[in-house]
Amino acid sequence: MDTSTGTGPTGTAQAGTAIAGDANAGDANAGDAGTGNGRPAGFTRRALLGTAGAGLVVGAGAGAAAALAADRPGPQRPPAQAQDPAGGLGAARVEFHGEHQGGILDPQQARVQLAAFDLAGGVGRDGLRSLLRRWSRTAARMAAGEPADEFENQVALDAGPCALTVTFGFGAGLFDKAGLADRRPAGLEPLPAFPADALDPARGDGDLFVQIGADDALVAVHALRVLQRQAAGTAALRWQMSGFSRTPGATARPMTGRNLMGQIDGTNNPRPGEDGFAAKVFVAGGGEQPAWLAGGSFLVFRRIRMLLDNWEALPVDRQERVIGRRKSDGAPLGAPDDAGERAPVDLAAQGADGALAIPSDAHIRVAAPAANGGAAMLRRGFSYHDGLLADGSPDAGLLFLAFQADPRTGFTPVQRKLARGDGLSRFLRHEASGVYAVPPGAPRGGYVGQTLLD
């Protein structure tokens, strides 16, 4: 939620999770400045990354886009023209091809479809290559607002691109099944068991991971259905989940989004332009990780149910002490009334009674990067609400997604710390998990995973 992790890394009903999004976590859902709907009309969302002053990117302010371009050497995605000359939400377009895959650095969309697939027996390297070529070709067309080249069901035929991104990841099992065990990245190892985890294996892991973001639910669902049908005979759907975030334009004041606990979530997410941003998020060439993953990333996924009935029974001042921030504006406890969410966190601040303004077990204190060896992740969490459980409590919470250069130095140490002493952990339950290697982006005319398979 708040602090150094943002929503996520942590255990379960008793193991903490950074949900408020403070230090490393944070959502990239602040939106874009420039139009009434929160997205600049007539430009691809990826083009914003190379345009100075274009607007908010991953929760950063105007000007962060230019800083990001400077922090990302190599070719940038060219601007794409909006299909709708009048602009609007549906006209926003993200170029599929580029140095990094879409859905990592782009402003967060309103809807997400997450899915994992398992390869069929005997598919091997050639079968995997064929599927990724097919998927990449189709994803590029849909991202441009064009009909799918096969299995087009016309569900979203009248929609524009709606900022569609499709991001692919590889699970650990894929490398053995495709005869690529010697090319499995060192960082792609199972996460350790955290205290109080309540993980359902059927809703985690998987050989192939797909994240589909869009500003329209039909566009996202359509894309997943097309990819699922294209995979028939090669890979079968293992699990699927749907999530949502703030719709661009829903607020006239772009700001860090709130999660279902009502907390501003993602204030201290790493920002493009900060020193070392790329090193925290992307795999560098050389070193321990394989060359094929250079420019890629690692993704940790966690389905985190929020115990909302218990949380909402707390008075607001108690909620604020659990998080360490004011609920109204996200400012850290102990900060002046007009400080705002981005005010520096003073962990030594004291109240009038001499006690710590930010309690010892407050989420932002336990998850602070300074308390976790500087560990950082780029989080893009989405809320979910899937009705009621058998006991009548909400089946609702956070689909935690965190991109990082290495989970062993990012997610894992933060989660361990949260599991030991985060007061927020009493209101969370981690119910599914997965770790995936996210290849670099596909060059024009190429496909995602080409550096691994060719």
Side-chain angles (χ1 to χ4, degrees):
M1 278 207 46
D2 198 48
T3 160
S4 71
T5 313
T7 253
T10 167
T12 107
Q14 299 179 344
T17 279
I19 286 195
D22 201 55
N24 307 323
D27 292 326
N29 59 356
D32 305 327
T35 68
N37 64 20
R39 301 206 188 286
F43 294 90
T44 72
R45 304 211 321 168
R46 187 59 58 82
L48 295 178
L49 300 179
T51 304
L56 300 179
V57 178
V58 193
L68 172 56
D71 201 30
R72 294 175 61 212
Q76 301 295 311
R77 286 172 169 76
Q81 298 302 312
Q83 285 191 329
D84 177 4
L89 192 63
R93 182 187 300 177
V94 179
E95 170 62 41
F96 176 78
H97 302 97
E99 180 185 4
H100 308 300
Q101 290 194 63
I104 301 175
L105 296 177
D106 308 289
Q108 188 161 329
Q109 302 99 321
R111 301 284 182 169
V112 74
Q113 291 287 328
L114 305 178
F117 294 77
D118 286 334
L119 291 177
V123 167
R125 182 171 182 165
D126 290 342
L128 176 60
R129 181 191 296 113
S130 177
L131 175 61
L132 289 170
R133 281 176 171 165
R134 197 177 189 186
W135 271 1
S136 296
R137 182 182 67 246
T138 300
R141 289 181 58 90
M142 293 188 294
E146 301 172 3
D149 48 353
E150 53 183 342
F151 300 115
E152 174 56 64
N153 56 22
Q154 302 187 35
V155 166
L157 196 61
D158 55 345
C162 295
L164 176 73
T165 58
V166 182
T167 314
F168 300 111
F170 301 157
L174 173 142
F175 294 86
D176 290 326
K177 293 180 181 179
L180 298 165
D182 60 334
R183 308 196 75 186
R184 181 167 43 236
L188 195 61
E189 58 187 37
L191 296 175
F194 299 108
D197 271 3
L199 304 181
D200 178 358
R203 296 198 295 177
D205 298 322
D207 299 333
L208 285 163
F209 173 85
V210 181
Q211 171 193 275
I212 301 172
D215 283 332
D216 179 78
L218 280 178
V219 169
V221 170
H222 164 259
L224 176 59
R225 181 59 182 161
V226 169
L227 297 180
Q228 182 182 355
R229 295 185 69 189
Q230 288 184 346
T234 302
L237 188 67
R238 176 183 177 90
W239 58 261
Q240 178 269 332
M241 300 177 195
S242 302
F244 58 89
S245 184
R246 174 63 58 81
T247 299
T251 174
R253 173 178 163 240
M255 60 183 294
T256 306
R258 293 181 184 266
N259 57 41
L260 294 184
M261 286 180 161
Q263 300 293 328
I264 292 177
D265 193 351
T267 299
N268 281 347
N269 212 37
R271 290 177 179 78
E274 291 179 347
D275 290 343
F277 172 83
K280 296 173 183 175
V281 178
F282 297 110
V283 175
E288 183 182 12
Q289 302 298 350
W292 69 264
L293 192 53
S297 187
F298 287 93
L299 172 67
V300 172
F301 155 74
R302 305 279 277 186
R303 180 184 174 99
I304 304 170
R305 181 161 62 89
M306 297 175 176
L307 308 184
L308 294 178
D309 288 343
N310 296 346
W311 177 256
E312 291 166 353
L314 292 181
V316 170
D317 64 332
R318 179 58 185 142
Q319 293 179 0
E320 291 176 337
R321 290 181 60 79
V322 170
I323 301 299
R325 289 184 177 272
R326 295 197 296 255
K327 192 170 185 179
S328 60
D329 60 4
L333 298 184
D337 291 344
D338 60 351
E341 64 171 298
R342 303 209 185 280
V345 177
D346 182 359
L347 296 177
Q350 296 180 344
D353 59 357
L356 289 170
I358 299 174
S360 59
D361 64 346
H363 180 71
I364 70 170
R365 179 182 292 276
V366 180
N372 293 280
M377 297 159 276
L378 178 64
R379 208 201 98 209
R380 293 173 60 91
F382 290 84
S383 297
Y384 73 89
H385 200 306
D386 293 338
L388 300 179
L389 297 170
D391 63 2
S393 62
D395 185 6
L398 180 75
L399 301 176
F400 169 80
L401 301 163
F403 293 92
Q404 58 218 274
D406 191 331
R408 298 172 299 177
T409 57
F411 176 85
T412 297
V414 176
Q415 179 61 29
R416 280 180 172 149
K417 185 73 175 290
L418 290 167
R420 290 196 299 266
D422 183 15
L424 181 61
S425 66
R426 300 192 304 274
F427 304 95
L428 304 172
R429 182 172 297 278
H430 288 232
E431 297 183 335
S433 181
V435 184
Y436 309 94
V438 178
R444 193 167 295 279
Y447 65 96
V448 173
Q450 188 168 351
T451 53
L452 170 66
L453 295 169
D454 282 1

